[in-house]
Amino acid sequence: MPKIAKKDKLERLAYNYIKEKILSGEYLPGEKVVEARLSEELNMSRTPIRKAINQLCHANYLIYKPNKGNFVSGHDIGLPEYISRLRLMELLSIYSVEKIFALKEHHEELLLMYAEKLALEGPEKFDLEEFFLFVIERSGNHYFNQLSRSVWMDFEEKATDEVRVLLNSKNPLIYEKAMFILKQFSCGSCADTKEAIKELIRFMILEAF
C-alpha cells in the first residue's frame, strides 16, 4: 500500500483498515493484533497504528491485556459495553466543556439556536447522538470529535436490541436534562455544566436497570 503523505490521515487510515479486518471476519474474536505486522502491511510507522489501536480499544473493537497485547473483542455491544461508552461520552463532554470555557469560547449564539431548535422539536424528536456531538464539537478538538463519532457509529453497527431500545428512549427526563446542560452552558458556569452532564449520564445508566 502506498505511503500517505499527510500525517493526519495515517491514524484514520490505520483505524479504518483494522476495523474493516474485524468487521469482515478476517480478524477473529480473540485474535492478537500485532503492530509490527500492521506497520509492514500499511507501510507506515508504528505511531499512528498505536494511536488507531488505542481508539479501537476505546470503541471496544479491541481489548488490551497487560503484558500480552491487544486482542479482537466480541462484536456485540451489550449492556456493559453500553455503560462503558456512556462513561466515555461523559469524559469527552466534560473535557470539551473545560476546553471551551478555558478558551472563553462559549458559542452563545450557537447554543441559543440549538436550544431553540430542541425546544421546538420537543422530546419526541430529541436525538441523543446529535446532542453529544454538538457539545463535543464546540471544543474544536479533532481527536474528541473523531472518537465520539466512532462511539455512535459502533452503536449503530453493533448494538444489541436491548441497547437500541435504550438509545432510542424518548423519556422526557433525558430531554429535560439535556436542555438543562445547555442552560448551564449559556449561563457561563463550567462547574454546573459539567455536573449537569454527569447527572444526565447517571440517569441514563440507571434507566438501563
Side-chain angles (χ1 to χ4, degrees):
M1 181 175 290
K3 194 163 186 175
I4 304 300
K6 294 183 179 179
K7 291 183 179 180
D8 60 342
K9 291 186 177 180
L10 293 176
E11 183 180 332
R12 173 51 54 179
L13 176 65
Y15 180 95
N16 289 334
Y17 181 82
I18 301 168
K19 179 180 174 181
E20 180 58 32
K21 294 281 188 182
I22 295 171
L23 293 178
S24 68
E26 186 171 342
Y27 287 177
L28 298 174
E31 183 174 344
K32 187 174 183 179
V33 175
V34 182
E35 285 183 17
R37 185 173 66 196
L38 287 166
S39 179
E40 290 182 5
E41 291 177 5
L42 293 169
N43 191 27
M44 67 173 69
S45 71
R46 293 191 186 186
T47 299
I49 292 172
R50 190 171 299 120
K51 289 181 179 179
I53 286 174
N54 287 338
Q55 284 193 44
L56 288 160
C57 286
H58 281 303
N60 203 47
Y61 283 102
L62 300 176
I63 296 174
Y64 173 70
K65 298 181 180 181
N67 302 318
K68 293 184 178 180
N70 297 284
F71 297 82
V72 178
S73 66
H75 298 332
D76 288 340
I77 296 178
L79 198 55
E81 294 80 19
Y82 167 72
I83 292 172
S84 68
R85 281 166 170 74
L86 286 183
R87 290 298 189 192
L88 176 58
M89 294 309 300
E90 176 183 348
L91 288 174
L92 291 173
S93 299
I94 286 174
Y95 291 153
S96 296
V97 166
E98 290 176 345
K99 183 175 178 62
I100 293 165
F101 276 95
L103 295 172
K104 302 187 184 302
E105 295 179 2
H106 299 174
H107 304 273
E108 287 89 349
E109 187 175 346
L110 280 174
L111 283 168
L112 180 60
M113 290 174 61
Y114 185 56
E116 289 177 348
K117 171 183 175 294
L118 294 185
L120 287 171
E121 293 178 346
E124 285 300 317
K125 292 186 177 180
F126 176 65
D127 188 319
L128 200 59
E129 175 183 357
E130 177 190 87
F131 174 79
F132 277 113
L133 292 180
F134 174 84
V135 173
I136 292 168
E137 285 176 354
R138 303 285 74 75
S139 72
N141 186 300
H142 175 70
Y143 177 73
F144 287 2
N145 294 342
Q146 188 180 74
L147 190 52
S148 60
R149 289 185 180 279
S150 294
V151 167
W152 291 99
M153 189 180 299
D154 292 343
F155 278 142
E156 186 175 327
E157 294 177 349
K158 303 192 296 177
T160 61
D161 291 341
E162 179 185 27
V163 169
R164 290 186 190 281
V165 169
L166 292 169
L167 288 170
N168 294 321
S169 170
K170 297 302 178 183
N171 189 327
L173 289 177
I174 292 178
Y175 168 79
E176 290 175 13
K177 291 180 185 298
M179 292 293 285
F180 186 67
I181 291 171
L182 295 178
K183 179 180 178 182
Q184 297 304 317
F185 219 147
S186 299
C187 289
S189 173
C190 182
D192 289 344
T193 303
K194 292 194 295 182
E195 188 55 42
I197 290 170
K198 292 178 183 178
E199 177 57 31
L200 171 60
I201 297 297
R202 278 195 295 265
F203 180 82
M204 291 180 65
I205 290 174
L206 288 173
E207 191 185 37
F209 295 97

